[in-house]
Amino acid sequence: MIKAIFISGELWFDGKPAGGTYHHSWIIVASTINKNKESNYEAALYGVHHELSSFVLNKQPITGMAWGELMPQGWSATTSYAKALGVNWSDEPDYINGFLSKYAETSVENDFNTYAEFVFSNPTELVKLANSYPLVAKKLRLFIDAYSRISPAMTAFFEQTSLTAAAAAPERFSKVDSVQIMTIPKPTVIYQEDKSQ
């Protein structure tokens, strides 16, 4: 899906430090040096999953639309990098509304990106959350569907990590309002012979 991953030092947007960004066919991930003079490998790893998931989401607009339908009533996306990056990261996430961090609340894309971080770096915690919060399970189901459409080989990973089972239990879905996911019907070609010729 991409041609390159660039590793940078500090990365800033609107005066706020950021973990990464993407454009066209590449991603940039910040990997700063910690107190022990070692590269912050874990943060960079999260950043790769976070940024790469934007390419998955951008290739599937239907997933983005369905995800947007799961946002709380009256919710709106944050309008600047400064506001998004300036959230209080230590505040408790709004799990009831399916958010895994305060940063995830800032846009549909950031919400999807945060699921990528958990799916690929902390699937055990995400399984627990999906088993406790119906909207986390619903978003996880959309996430799994999106990745599986891009790469069917991902299905095995989702099953091995119990993510598929956590996202699929119908009894949890019945506890929240159903979301109508728009599907595009297959076209029907109707041919009518023109007898006037």
Side-chain angles (χ1 to χ4, degrees):
M1 296 188 73
I2 60 173
K3 294 181 179 177
I5 298 173
F6 298 102
I7 307 297
S8 76
E10 291 182 357
L11 192 61
W12 293 73
F13 292 104
D14 289 349
K16 300 286 184 182
T21 189
Y22 71 94
H23 185 71
H24 189 57
S25 61
W26 47 261
I27 62 177
I28 297 176
V29 178
S31 181
T32 56
I33 303 300
N34 66 20
K35 288 185 265 184
N36 299 324
K37 304 294 183 190
E38 295 175 353
S39 176
N40 193 344
Y41 174 82
E42 186 174 278
L45 181 64
Y46 288 147
V48 169
H49 294 307
H50 182 103
E51 301 302 335
L52 186 61
S53 69
S54 289
F55 288 88
V56 175
L57 184 63
N58 291 338
K59 282 188 176 286
Q60 302 189 51
I62 298 296
T63 298
M65 291 168 64
W67 201 284
E69 291 294 320
L70 294 175
M71 295 311 217
Q73 188 173 9
W75 173 89
S76 62
T78 302
T79 56
S80 72
Y81 288 120
K83 287 181 182 176
L85 295 168
V87 298
N88 188 344
W89 296 81
S90 62
D91 283 353
E92 180 77 12
D94 182 4
Y95 295 126
I96 290 173
N97 282 308
F99 296 114
L100 303 179
S101 73
K102 297 308 285 183
Y103 180 71
E105 295 179 32
T106 62
S107 74
V108 167
E109 184 174 355
N110 289 337
D111 196 16
F112 189 85
N113 296 155
T114 305
Y115 272 76
E117 292 179 24
F118 273 76
V119 163
F120 298 113
S121 301
N122 198 355
T124 304
E125 179 66 19
L126 186 52
V127 167
K128 289 178 188 173
L129 290 169
N131 284 330
S132 300
Y133 299 97
L135 275 175
V136 172
K138 279 193 170 190
K139 288 181 179 180
L140 178 57
R141 184 183 189 104
L142 285 174
F143 184 94
I144 288 171
D145 288 346
Y147 268 77
S148 296
R149 273 190 244 108
I150 296 285
S151 173
M154 291 297 306
T155 304
F157 169 78
F158 295 133
E159 290 175 355
Q160 289 167 1
T161 54
S162 301
L163 291 165
T164 301
E171 62 274 9
R172 283 198 306 281
F173 298 150
S174 64
K175 294 178 185 174
V176 295
D177 294 335
S178 63
V179 173
Q180 297 297 320
I181 297 175
M182 187 179 92
T183 57
I184 299 173
K186 293 184 179 182
T188 303
V189 178
I190 300 173
Y191 175 76
Q192 186 173 14
E193 186 177 349
D194 184 355
K195 295 182 180 181
S196 66
Q197 295 180 358

